[in-house]
Amino acid sequence: NHILALHLFQPPGRLKELLLESETELQRTLKCYERIARYAHKYADVARIHVVFSAPLVQQLKDPAFMSQSRHLADVADILESFRSAPNIEFIASGAQHAPLPLVPPQDWDVQLRSERSLIEDTFGRQPRVYYPPGGLFDEAMIPYLVATGYQCALVPRDALINGEGMPVDPYRVYQLDNEFIVAPIDAGFSDAQGHYLEAPWFADEVTNGTAIAPESVSPYVVTTCCDGDNGEWFRRIDEDQCFFGSFFAPYMDCTIEHLSYL
């Protein structure tokens, strides 16, 4: 199994700044979002995309004034509706202000979690079940708050998870912590490749090699990758055949479809 996550974040006011400073860059940014939803629909039978849709970005995209002012570049309302109507997109939360909870007073954690959860549900019609800690900062003290708010899982950097021997955990498993809360270790190497340049055959071979030497377990193998999905040339190229979705994701999904046809 592969948990493929894309992290989307723009600082408050950034999209309006781009509208004034560089319409070309804004169009490239909006194209990143349009592609995610479109490819989710295209491969609805085999793909499941996990999207960290940060609250500051959602608020900017929902702004009626911004929608109107950027209409000549992209139909933002249509992009949001495309996300909403894609059942195979798993929306991931990261806090209302996209701030690492360990750096925020604990008395504010509940508000951070619940307000973003409501925003995502109002925008996309689904409540997030998975949490992504900004900056990779995660503390087990957060778990009761996450569980109470309705979260079931967190994507956490592998190095933040230590086994009983004081070593990083096996990256090809998910782990159960307090109250049956699940954490999935993010593989740093594969995530870096996903964010810059990745070929489907190489990825498949490397995962096969990695799982072959992983400790034995009755649990299924799971590889978790997460990278920015709206920054860097790999995602922002207008030439779709040379970007993440055309060069990696489509061949990856086509290979999956071909594999399933033989099962």
Side-chain angles (χ1 to χ4, degrees), residues 13 16-17 19 23 26 37 58 61 112 115 146-147 155 159 167 179 183 215 220 223-224 226 242 247 253 255-256 261:
K16 284 191 175 180
E17 289 178 1
L19 184 62
E23 289 191 349
L26 175 59
V58 174
L61 292 173
Q112 285 286 319
S115 57
L146 291 167
V147 172
L155 308 186
D159 291 344
M167 300 295 291
N179 297 311
V183 292
V223 59
T224 302
C226 184
Q242 299 300 315
S247 183
M253 292 300 101
C255 180
T256 301
S261 68

Side-chain angles (χ1 to χ4, degrees), residues 13-242:
R14 180 55 179 160
L15 296 185
K16 284 191 175 180
E17 289 178 1
L18 286 175
L19 184 62
L20 297 174
E21 297 170 0
S22 175
E23 289 191 349
T24 298
E25 287 306 305
L26 175 59
Q27 187 174 40
R28 278 155 53 94
T29 301
L30 295 176
K31 191 68 175 177
C32 291
Y33 310 140
E34 183 273 336
R35 281 175 179 149
I36 295 172
R38 175 159 50 88
Y39 274 84
H41 282 283
K42 181 176 180 180
Y43 292 102
D45 292 338
V46 293
R48 188 165 190 84
I49 306 175
H50 296 69
V51 179
V52 186
F53 226 134
S54 65
L57 174 57
V58 174
Q59 291 164 339
Q60 292 177 77
L61 292 173
K62 291 184 66 175
D63 179 9
F66 174 74
M67 286 185 179
S68 176
Q69 295 164 359
S70 62
R71 188 172 298 277
H72 61 295
L73 300 175
D75 189 332
V76 176
D78 186 64
I79 292 174
L80 292 175
E81 177 56 32
S82 187
F83 273 97
R84 184 184 181 92
S85 61
N88 55 329
I89 290 180
E90 179 84 33
F91 293 101
I92 299 178
S94 58
Q97 295 178 332
H98 204 64
L101 289 188
L103 303 183
V104 176
Q107 58 265 31
D108 294 336
W109 289 2
D110 189 67
V111 173
Q112 285 286 319
L113 296 170
R114 291 187 185 279
S115 57
E116 183 194 22
R117 190 172 173 84
S118 296
L119 175 65
I120 292 178
E121 183 179 20
D122 291 343
T123 305
F124 302 113
R126 299 194 289 283
Q127 290 187 335
R129 300 175 299 172
V130 182
Y131 182 77
Y132 172 80
L137 297 182
F138 183 81
D139 191 296
E140 286 196 41
M142 296 160 51
I143 294 177
Y145 292 85
L146 291 167
V147 172
T149 315
Y151 295 99
Q152 303 169 4
C153 175
L155 308 186
V156 180
R158 180 199 177 201
D159 291 344
L161 300 173
I162 305 300
N163 62 22
E165 300 175 352
M167 300 295 291
V169 298
D170 175 12
Y172 300 109
R173 308 291 180 193
V174 297
Y175 297 87
Q176 180 176 307
L177 300 182
D178 297 343
N179 297 311
E180 300 185 352
F181 190 79
I182 301 299
V183 292
I186 299 172
D187 188 291
F190 286 139
S191 295
D192 183 68
Q194 177 178 293
H196 294 89
Y197 182 75
L198 191 59
E199 292 182 331
W202 175 87
F203 177 71
D205 287 344
E206 289 299 307
V207 170
T208 299
N209 293 337
T211 55
I213 60 174
E216 293 186 6
S217 172
V218 296
S219 303
Y221 292 118
V222 178
V223 59
T224 302
T225 57
C226 184
C227 70
D228 287 347
D230 55 359
N231 290 301
E233 282 299 303
W234 179 227
F235 283 91
R236 294 168 63 83
R237 287 176 178 169
I238 294 298
D239 183 357
E240 197 159 293
D241 289 341
Q242 299 300 315

